[in-house]
Amino acid sequence: MEKMLDMCKDYFDQTEEEKLKCGGEHVLAPIRSGTSFNASVEKVFFWRDFLKVWVHPQFHSPPTPAGFSEISLEYCKRTRQVARELIKGISESLGLEECYIDKAMDLESCFQILIANLYPPCPQPELAMGMPPHSDHGLLTLLTQNETDGLQLNHNGKWVNVHALPNTFLVNTGDHLEILSNGKYKSVVHRAVVNNKATRISLAMAHGPNLEKAVTPVTELVDNENNPPLYHGIKYKEYLELQQSNQLSGKSILNHVRI
Ligand code: OGA
Ligand code: NI
């Protein structure tokens, strides 16, 4: 985790030219680097730089800094194992077979994406936001950060600061877990605030179904009398494209598939 966070810092420390070299323009480009969330549709930018890299089922990596791809490959493999193991427990907690979700979502070919976020010190942090309130699109996101806090979770309508301990993962539930569990698990709404003292770097590993899957609530968790299905099925890749090409706003994309 430490090495990977150091690599992210080295990535952001590069010149703008070096960072631009590796980035595609399209929201579904496997490597993207930029400022804010989606600068082409936003009127006001967020106080954030990012690097987004698709790392599974195909592994991609920015060519620089040196060593990034080796450490990232290892980190992605290990975090993927953790996520799949957690999903087995979640599957059992829903009264399903341990491997039910793993098989149904084809997690052997799961979509895994590395998102590195850089939040530099901001002179007037009360006037800026690092990342607006949103829920993540996939199943589980494993988040880690350098020693600076900034993540807030929405709990019963209030923003709660998350103080992350070193060498731990914060695990966020995503929209596709809410969809497949027919609302038994809710995706968590979170945001990132900024401060005027220290640079914050966070690293989110997002894990979703196979990109070709159209996920609907699991049949075992639905019955038309007491538990009607709450969400339509939509191909995960389309869901991702919708989220990435619009302004990031709460659970707006999940609301789009709500019945
Ligand atoms: C994200 C995210 C929060 C943070 O990348 O999806 O929510 O603390 N990041 O940087
Ligand atoms: Ni997020």
Side-chain angles (χ1 to χ4, degrees), residues 115 117 119 131 134 136 143 151 190 192 200 202 204:
I115 304 144
N117 301 298
Y119 307 99
M131 226 179 156
H134 68 281
D136 294 348
L143 192 105
L151 179 71
H190 54 286
R200 173 164 184 259
S202 69

Side-chain angles (χ1 to χ4, degrees), residues 22 30-31 53-55 59-65 67-70 72-73:
C22 67
I31 306 180
V53 190
W54 293 20
V55 290
F59 180 76
H60 297 267
S61 175
T64 55
F68 190 101
S69 78
E70 288 78 13
S72 172
L73 182 65

Side-chain angles (χ1 to χ4, degrees), residues 62 64 93 95 112 178 216 218 237 247:
T64 55
S93 78
Q112 187 189 31
E178 180 163 339
T216 51
V218 166
K237 194 171 187 174
Q247 295 197 36

